Amino acid sequence: MELVQESPYRFRIDREAPMRVPGVVFAVPELLPEVGADRSLDQVANVATLPGIVEASYAMPDVHWGYGFPIGGVAATDVAAGGVVSPGGVGFDISCGVRLLTAELDRAELPRVIEALMDGLDPAIPRGMGRGAVWQLADRAELDAVLRGGSRYAVERGHGVPRDLARCEDDGAVTDADPAQVGERAVQRGQGQVGSLGSGNHFLEVQAVEEVYDEPVAAAFGLRPGQVCVMIHCGSRGLGHQICTDYVRIMEGVMPRHGIEVPDRQLACAPVDSPEGRAYLGAMAAAANYARANRQLLTEAARRVFTRVAGTDLDLVYDVSHNLAKIEEHERDGGTRRLCVHRKGATRALPPDHPDLPADLRDVGQPVLIPGSMGTSSYVLTGVAGNPAFASTCHGAGRTRSRGEATRAARGQDVRRDLAARGVAVRGASRKGLAEEMPDAYKDVSAVVEAASGAGLCRLVARLTSLGVVKG
């Protein structure tokens, strides 16, 4: 595949049949996927074949191989022109996302409490592959209330404060969720996991603001140099995974009826306005609400520990998802078009004055949260006007090694000891789990963020450093 460099941070994949649009990759050369080892650029081209796709099939600087879509893939389809929705364009961990909280605690004060904080967070944060959760739901009716109400329902039940909702994407809940479209197996998997971290690359980190690049915007976000923060990364657990599995199978079966052919079965899709498309979007929205309630419950668990140990509360900066398909209106070709925007391992980055922003962020734009790999820096950015990819940007560092490759590369290393030597306290992770998430398994997050900023996707606000991590 030939890549044409259009600018220092932008590459083009020319349109060739059956592509309907070109591919666009935002990156610098050293961030591009390794040809032969990573087929994600082929996936960018495959996504460009989807019915109704507009402008381009986009890839963010953290792009790497995924299911159907690459992780870091963005694609918008025109609903009125038969545009499709594809579960592979959202992923298995529906509405996986990141939230950032701040403490009224300075980094200089942290050494006296860090061990007690980490020892308190260790048992307070359920994690791992199986059951175990902060919130034990009474029955299916209460789960349905979570699926409809997300963080809003959690706050109504006393798990948070109203301000949390103002600083959460969609005010804490997607309004068009339809629990009736969620299958029984997904319900069974989700019943006992609300308020749990999961495993893999999910985490809760204690961090500190290391550097501020834009003081007025940082102040609007509630950030200052030296401030202690907590970052939470998790999603919709087994419920979201099962919904994706179920609807890939359903859509694969109905594509012939809709006259749709795709180059990869993992791109199974259906028109947004078809019964199958509407059903998936209703189930996906329900999973998104589950994920938001999940992060809300983990926030409350962390707040209790910080209050008890450090005598401080935690305030929410923002909560944003990076695995969703959203129906949005965008100005294109002299008019407003209703688009289904898939962001798979990519996050919204709304510019100043966007109507979806809360009033206190309207002047500065949406907080964009980009975590690095374990023990490295994370970044806070803000959305900018003129974003070339439907107000989207990257979601993290992006893998360069599979979990198996990382485990093999870590043989003979003590990842926990190495992190401790760098001042990062670790709780709860197995040796294998730590090896899978070792920093060398990921791209350099600073280079990823620089490319995202250089490409006009977002703008730097602050850099955070890791001081403690709770892993599954």
Side-chain angles (χ1 to χ4, degrees):
M1 178 180 296
E2 184 178 355
L3 280 175
V4 179
Q5 187 163 9
E6 297 183 319
S7 72
Y9 299 101
R10 180 176 174 132
F11 293 80
R12 184 182 75 250
I13 302 171
D14 284 329
R15 175 184 172 186
E16 296 181 2
M19 295 168 65
R20 300 169 190 262
V21 293
V24 171
V25 183
F26 299 106
V28 291
E30 56 267 29
L31 292 176
L32 291 171
E34 184 180 345
V35 176
D38 184 312
R39 303 294 301 275
S40 56
L41 296 185
D42 290 334
Q43 292 183 314
V44 173
N46 288 343
V47 170
T49 69
L50 290 177
I53 189 169
V54 299
E55 289 196 357
S57 168
Y58 293 105
M60 300 294 113
D62 56 340
V63 63
H64 54 290
W65 184 85
Y67 183 93
F69 273 55
I71 298 170
V74 174
T77 63
D78 189 332
V79 177
V84 297
V85 61
S86 172
V90 172
F92 286 96
D93 196 0
I94 296 169
S95 197
C96 184
V98 180
R99 67 167 42 192
L100 180 66
L101 305 117
T102 58
E104 280 304 312
L105 185 69
D106 193 86
R107 183 175 181 175
E109 304 172 78
L110 196 60
R112 67 179 176 83
V113 295
I114 183 64
E115 289 300 320
L117 279 174
M118 298 306 296
D119 287 343
L121 291 168
D122 188 6
I125 305 299
R127 56 203 185 273
M129 290 289 290
R131 286 190 174 283
V134 175
W135 195 0
Q136 300 301 318
L137 301 179
D139 50 27
R140 170 65 191 266
E142 191 166 35
L143 176 60
D144 280 357
V146 170
L147 298 181
R148 285 191 299 269
S151 290
R152 296 178 198 169
Y153 179 68
V155 170
E156 287 173 10
R157 293 296 306 275
H159 302 293
V161 296
R163 183 186 177 279
D164 292 341
L165 304 180
R167 286 298 186 96
C168 186
E169 184 181 18
D170 302 313
D171 296 318
V174 182
T175 56
D176 54 356
D178 186 356
Q181 305 304 327
V182 177
E184 187 57 35
R185 177 60 181 146
V187 167
Q188 293 170 0
R189 295 181 68 178
Q191 187 73 42
Q193 295 185 332
V194 183
S196 62
L197 202 59
S199 56
N201 64 348
H202 296 155
F203 63 80
L204 181 150
E205 277 198 3
V206 178
Q207 305 173 332
V209 179
E210 183 77 12
E211 193 170 3
V212 170
Y213 307 104
D214 190 323
E215 290 188 3
V217 176
F221 290 174
L223 299 171
R224 56 175 172 76
Q227 188 168 29
V228 172
C229 304
V230 171
M231 183 175 281
I232 299 172
H233 174 215
C234 65
S236 51
R237 301 295 323 271
L239 179 134
H241 193 287
Q242 191 64 47
I243 287 171
C244 181
T245 299
D246 292 344
Y247 278 92
V248 166
R249 185 180 305 115
I250 289 168
M251 290 188 179
E252 190 176 11
V254 302
M255 281 194 298
R257 187 200 314 158
H258 294 294
I260 296 173
E261 294 183 3
V262 292
D264 180 355
R265 63 167 294 275
Q266 295 180 356
L267 292 175
C269 58
V272 172
D273 277 342
S274 68
E276 299 83 15
R278 289 191 294 270
Y280 170 71
L281 287 172
M284 182 210 70
N289 289 340
Y290 184 100
R292 289 159 196 202
N294 192 24
R295 291 192 289 275
Q296 186 67 39
L297 267 293
L298 292 173
T299 294
E300 282 300 283
R303 280 172 168 157
R304 288 191 287 271
V305 174
F306 268 75
T307 298
R308 185 181 75 248
V309 173
T312 181
D313 199 0
L314 295 172
D315 289 328
L316 182 57
V317 174
Y318 206 68
D319 179 302
V320 65
S321 302
H322 49 239
N323 283 349
L324 274 182
K326 296 177 78 78
I327 305 300
E328 302 173 356
E329 291 187 347
H330 289 268
E331 298 297 323
R332 290 294 188 274
D333 302 326
T336 301
R337 300 171 76 176
R338 185 166 168 260
L339 304 177
C340 180
V341 183
H342 300 73
R343 296 182 179 94
K344 201 279 194 64
T347 181
R348 259 183 148 190
L350 301 180
D353 298 320
H354 195 283
D356 288 353
L357 289 172
D360 62 345
L361 296 178
R362 197 71 55 82
D363 291 340
V364 295
Q366 177 207 306
V368 173
L369 310 175
I370 301 182
S373 55
M374 185 172 53
T376 65
S377 295
S378 295
Y379 287 86
V380 180
L381 302 93
T382 188
V384 295
N387 178 300
F390 305 104
S392 308
T393 191
C394 53
H395 84 305
R399 276 194 172 271
T400 57
R401 290 175 171 168
S402 70
R403 288 183 169 85
E405 290 169 339
T407 301
R408 290 189 291 273
R411 285 176 183 160
Q413 298 182 39
D414 189 332
V415 179
R416 188 187 301 269
R417 184 187 61 199
D418 293 345
L419 288 168
R422 292 158 54 181
V424 181
V426 180
R427 292 293 186 277
S430 66
R431 179 182 289 269
K432 180 176 181 293
L434 285 175
E436 290 175 348
E437 298 302 315
M438 62 186 293
D440 288 348
Y442 287 82
K443 298 178 183 179
D444 177 357
V445 68
S446 298
V448 168
V449 165
E450 180 185 350
S453 180
L457 302 173
C458 46
R459 190 178 78 248
L460 277 164
V461 174
R463 180 171 66 87
L464 314 178
T465 190
S466 177
L467 301 172
V469 59
V470 177
K471 293 284 291 183

